[in-house]
Each structure stands twice: as structure tokens, then as C-alpha cells.
């Protein structure tokens, strides 16, 4: 079965957070405002910001531990180690699994 070219829709949309262009399937939409889409990387960033805010509002032992992880992450990013060829890829893989 072939698909007519006019039925294939290539829709690139701009992320409302970082401003980069993405294919529509790579964006997460807001429930009440479906016109707003953020890319997966920005969605992960926003999730971490929300968790940080929750930790500030309700400090616990786990919140302090997540704060240490955040501090280490910011320290690594400030030195741009996450952009290094080999160690950067490893650091990014580890980061995906961290809170
Ligand atoms: Zn984005």
C-alpha cells in the first residue's frame, strides 16, 4: 500500500520552552492548552524544576539527597563536562537515571 504524498503531513513545531524546532510527535502538549508543546528534553527539565520546588516546600532526607545530586549536576554542567566526547556521553546516560 502506498501513501499519497499529500496525506503525509510533516509538521515541525517550535518548542515553547527552548525555541528549537521539532517534529510534532516529539512534543508533549499541555492538557488545557494543546497549542502549547514542549520537547522531551524541556519536559524532563520542567519535571526536575517541579521536583526541586516540591523539595524546597517539603524538606526531607530524600529532598536533601536530591539537592546534593542537583548540586553535582550543576557543578558538572558549569565545567561543560557533559559535552566532552566520551565522558560526556557517559555522564548524560547516568543523568537520565538520576532524580
Ligand atoms: Zn525544548
Amino acid at each position: 500500500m502506498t501513501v499519497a504524498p499529500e496525506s503525509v503531513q510533516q509538521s515541525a513545531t517550535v518548542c515553547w520552552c527552548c525555541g528549537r524546532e521539532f517534529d510534532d510527535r516529539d512534543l508533549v502538549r499541555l492538557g488545557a492548552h494543546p497549542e502549547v508543546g514542549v520537547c522531551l528534553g524541556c519536559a524532563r527539565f520542567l519535571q526536575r524544576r517541579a521536583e526541586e520546588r516540591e523539595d524546597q516546600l517539603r524538606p526531607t532526607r530524600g529532598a536533601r539527597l536530591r539537592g546534593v545530586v542537583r548540586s553535582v549536576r550543576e557543578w558538572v554542567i558549569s565545567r561543560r563536562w557533559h559535552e566532552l566526547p566520551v565522558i560526556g556521553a557517559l555522564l548524560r546516560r547516568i543523568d537520565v537515571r538520576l532524580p
Side-chain angles (χ1 to χ4, degrees):
M1 180 176 142
T2 58
V3 178
E6 59 272 6
S7 67
V8 176
Q9 203 167 25
Q10 299 290 329
S11 59
T13 311
V14 174
C15 171
W16 281 54
C17 184
C18 67
R20 295 187 340 204
E21 201 168 282
F22 292 89
D23 191 88
D24 198 51
R25 66 187 173 141
D26 295 327
L27 295 175
V28 177
R29 300 280 174 188
L30 299 184
H33 294 277
E35 72 277 12
V36 176
V38 293
C39 71
L40 300 179
C42 288
R44 186 174 300 115
F45 168 77
L46 291 171
Q47 178 190 6
R48 286 182 170 165
R49 295 283 307 267
E51 289 172 352
E52 182 179 359
R53 182 70 48 86
E54 284 179 347
D55 287 347
Q56 291 168 349
L57 295 173
R58 287 176 281 289
T60 62
R61 188 177 298 172
R64 285 192 294 276
L65 181 61
R66 285 187 292 274
V68 170
V69 171
R70 276 191 287 273
S71 296
V72 171
R73 179 183 295 118
E74 290 169 8
W75 187 80
V76 166
I77 290 173
S78 70
R79 282 152 183 79
R80 303 177 72 106
W81 288 1
H82 64 295
E83 296 175 354
L84 294 174
V86 176
I87 192 76
L90 178 63
L91 290 171
R92 289 190 303 273
R93 286 183 68 184
I94 292 170
D95 185 54
V96 169
R97 294 172 178 26
L98 293 175

